[in-house]
Amino acid sequence: MNITTDKEKNLRVVADKEQILLSEDLAKFLGTLNGGQLRVVKHDNKIEIYANVHSLSKVYIEPTAQCNLACHTCIRRTWQEPMGTMKREVFDNLIEQLKEFDCLQTVMFGGFGEPTFHKDILYMIQQVKTLGVKAEMVTNGTLLHEEMLKGLFETGLDTLWVSFDGTNEECFEDIREGAKFNEVVKNLEILHIMNLRNNHKIKVGITFVVMKSNINQLKDLGSLAQRVGADMISVSNVLPYSAEMIDQMVCKQKVVTTNQSYGSRGIPINLPYIDKQELDPQLLYDIFKNYDKINIFRNGYEREIGNCRFIKDRCTFIKWDGRVSPCMGLLHSYKTYFTDGEERVVTSYSLGDIEENRLKEIWNSKEYSNYRDNVDSYEFSPCLQCSPCNLTETNKEDCYGNIFPTCSGCLWAQSVIQCP
């Protein structure tokens, strides 16, 4: 195999008329160590190569569905499911099964609970690192005392995402009931100092759920990130688990869920470099309002619609009880709402239980493979664009003939909701 590297993200491979030769690392990244098809999209002067969706790359583990907070945006305010915790024997069994996946790169501790609320979370991270993969975690940050932080360094955690739904004490504590803004900030300031002193570094990111009550604080996220030593920020819209939360959404317009746009929105616009002082804020607003496809300063912007990142990133989710789901949106059952107030009952979708069948058997099953192919092509009805009908009340079927689970009303797939 021959490959040269210009930069970390700029790889050159050797090709002839019949094949492209990939390094082992790149083959692992693309999910083709043991063969498999890659999807290729051709453009005028370049191609995009998408990884093999049938090769597992990232596993989300939900250590617990329990939490020490009572956030106003949380699913627990309307939830009817049991809030269990993963048993150590279930986790140990999972670790042994993950050894069978050659292209696994990352394990993320998350889900709908608070990972640091699990008594064995440090043990879990340590066991994941024995697999030779990245270990990541998303947390509310309230339990990051010095002993916990020391443990995160000792076990080798690679990435820590911390939830901040406010950049000051008043806003933060109004949304995240039970949390103290200054305490979470202090925890991360200590982490930053420990990062400076340790050879091992934990990369820190901020997650922010934007609503009408905090949207004006988006401008302060950069300053907050600098203060706490974070170098990544991920912003998501709020997912309305109650009818009251609809009024807090800042993305209430109908979402285009097909690849067809109308009027100037479907015409790409390419802008050259322009001095920033010449770019009036109103001009930028009008450009982003009127065009879906924009190239500005050689950076492209195009809203991804009808695109499931959980499938394209080759993810799977392990619920606290050992059941396997394909994405965050189908990990649990719950009620949610369209922006016009119509209620939608989402039923969870499990493809198996790691206590009954091995994860590799579940992953390679015909049902799971067919599901990945269907979602990758994303030929679901545009429920977020149409007027509500009786089919939008559940995720059982849609008007295109898709049956459970349909992804027609999924806000993750429309770039409205996103997770780290």
Side-chain angles (χ1 to χ4, degrees):
M1 304 292 180
N2 295 292
I3 182 170
T4 60
T5 304
D6 290 342
K7 297 179 182 178
E8 183 180 356
K9 295 183 179 180
N10 185 12
L11 304 176
R12 295 183 183 274
V13 299
V14 175
D16 58 29
K17 292 181 179 180
E18 297 182 355
Q19 61 181 343
I20 295 178
L21 301 180
L22 305 177
S23 71
E24 183 173 331
D25 287 345
L26 188 53
K28 181 177 181 179
F29 177 78
L30 293 173
T32 58
L33 276 180
N34 298 308
Q37 292 186 344
L38 303 176
R39 185 165 65 88
V40 178
V41 178
K42 181 179 178 296
H43 300 279
D44 289 339
N45 63 345
K46 65 179 180 180
I47 62 169
E48 292 178 334
I49 299 177
Y50 290 86
N52 172 23
V53 297
H54 298 299
S55 176
L56 181 62
S57 175
K58 185 172 184 177
V59 175
Y60 285 78
I61 299 176
E62 182 180 65
T64 179
Q66 297 175 335
C67 186
N68 60 323
L69 300 183
C71 300
H72 290 280
T73 58
C74 186
I75 192 174
R76 288 170 191 78
R77 291 183 174 265
T78 59
W79 216 3
Q80 301 299 320
E81 287 201 3
M83 299 185 193
T85 294
M86 183 174 285
K87 297 178 181 178
R88 181 179 282 211
E89 53 266 32
V90 174
F91 176 79
D92 287 341
N93 185 16
L94 173 59
I95 290 295
E96 287 301 313
Q97 295 183 36
L98 290 179
K99 294 177 182 178
E100 301 177 4
F101 293 90
D102 296 332
C103 295
L104 182 65
Q105 299 180 59
T106 307
V107 172
M108 164 72 89
F109 292 99
F112 284 94
E114 169 52 43
T116 61
F117 203 54
H118 195 294
K119 62 182 180 64
D120 292 330
I121 188 60
L122 294 178
Y123 168 81
M124 290 178 167
I125 296 171
Q126 185 179 46
Q127 292 304 111
V128 163
K129 292 303 296 180
T130 66
L131 300 174
V133 302
K134 292 181 180 179
E136 303 181 350
M137 182 169 67
V138 59
T139 176
N140 59 38
T142 60
L143 302 178
L144 297 179
H145 46 73
E146 286 197 52
E147 183 179 352
M148 174 65 74
L149 292 175
K150 182 180 178 182
L152 295 182
F153 279 97
E154 291 176 347
T155 56
L157 183 73
D158 295 286
T159 304
L160 183 70
W161 289 94
V162 184
S163 299
F164 275 94
D165 296 338
T167 59
N168 60 41
E169 185 175 3
E170 181 181 3
C171 182
F172 178 93
E173 295 179 7
D174 182 62
I175 296 171
R176 306 189 70 77
E177 185 176 323
K180 298 296 182 182
F181 176 78
N182 290 326
E183 290 180 4
V184 175
V185 169
K186 181 180 178 181
N187 291 342
L188 293 183
E189 289 175 337
I190 294 173
L191 170 59
H192 182 52
I193 293 172
M194 296 174 74
N195 253 334
L196 296 175
R197 295 175 177 174
N198 278 271
N199 291 327
H200 174 73
K201 308 298 181 184
I202 297 177
K203 195 173 184 179
V204 179
I206 287 176
T207 66
F208 188 91
V209 177
V210 65
M211 298 170 280
K212 288 183 178 178
S213 61
N214 66 5
I215 190 171
N216 290 330
Q217 298 195 5
L218 283 176
K219 65 182 185 300
D220 301 320
L221 281 176
S223 298
L224 176 64
Q226 287 185 324
R227 179 179 176 184
V228 301
D231 52 12
M232 304 177 293
I233 299 173
S234 177
V235 180
S236 174
N237 282 285
V238 66
L239 184 59
Y241 293 117
S242 66
E244 292 74 22
M245 289 307 300
I246 296 174
D247 293 334
Q248 279 293 322
M249 292 193 74
V250 295
C251 183
K252 294 182 67 174
Q253 72 274 17
K254 290 292 184 181
V255 180
V256 178
T257 58
T258 68
N259 291 325
Q260 183 177 10
S261 296
Y262 299 95
S264 64
R265 296 194 65 87
I267 301 173
I269 182 172
N270 293 286
L271 300 177
Y273 181 83
I274 302 173
D275 288 341
K276 292 181 180 179
Q277 60 265 30
E278 302 296 334
L279 288 173
D280 181 85
Q282 182 63 42
L283 172 62
L284 286 175
Y285 170 79
D286 290 338
I287 291 173
F288 278 87
K289 178 181 178 182
N290 294 318
Y291 294 89
D292 281 333
K293 301 177 181 180
I294 304 167
N295 278 295
I296 182 170
F297 305 160
R298 292 187 177 180
N299 293 303
Y301 160 78
E302 182 175 354
R303 185 176 66 191
E304 288 191 297
I305 52 178
N307 187 338
C308 178
R309 59 149 289 220
F310 296 123
I311 295 299
K312 285 183 167 52
D313 291 350
R314 301 135 64 202
C315 303
T316 197
F317 286 70
I318 313 298
K319 190 179 170 184
W320 62 266
D321 60 3
R323 299 193 68 80
V324 181
S325 292
C327 67
M328 181 72 79
L330 294 172
L331 190 62
H332 293 278
S333 297
Y334 51 90
K335 289 182 180 180
T336 186
Y337 293 82
F338 287 108
T339 55
D340 52 14
E342 293 295 319
E343 183 180 281
R344 181 175 175 86
V345 177
V346 176
T347 300
S348 63
Y349 178 47
S350 173
L351 290 134
D353 188 325
I354 63 168
E355 292 291 276
E356 299 175 359
N357 300 98
R358 298 193 71 77
L359 180 58
K360 193 162 190 177
E361 179 183 343
I362 297 171
W363 176 263
N364 290 330
S365 68
K366 183 177 180 180
E367 180 182 4
Y368 205 162
S369 295
N370 288 342
Y371 176 83
R372 289 193 294 270
D373 284 334
N374 290 339
V375 178
D376 192 34
S377 62
Y378 210 86
E379 295 178 356
F380 298 100
S381 58
C383 291
L384 299 182
Q385 186 182 18
C386 297
S387 299
C389 67
N390 63 321
L391 293 178
T392 67
E393 296 173 359
T394 70
N395 62 334
K396 298 293 186 180
E397 61 178 313
D398 67 23
C399 62
Y400 282 10
N402 296 296
I403 59 175
F404 177 79
T406 73
C407 302
S408 307
C410 179
L411 296 181
W412 277 275
Q414 310 308 325
S415 299
V416 176
I417 307 296
Q418 58 182 1
C419 302

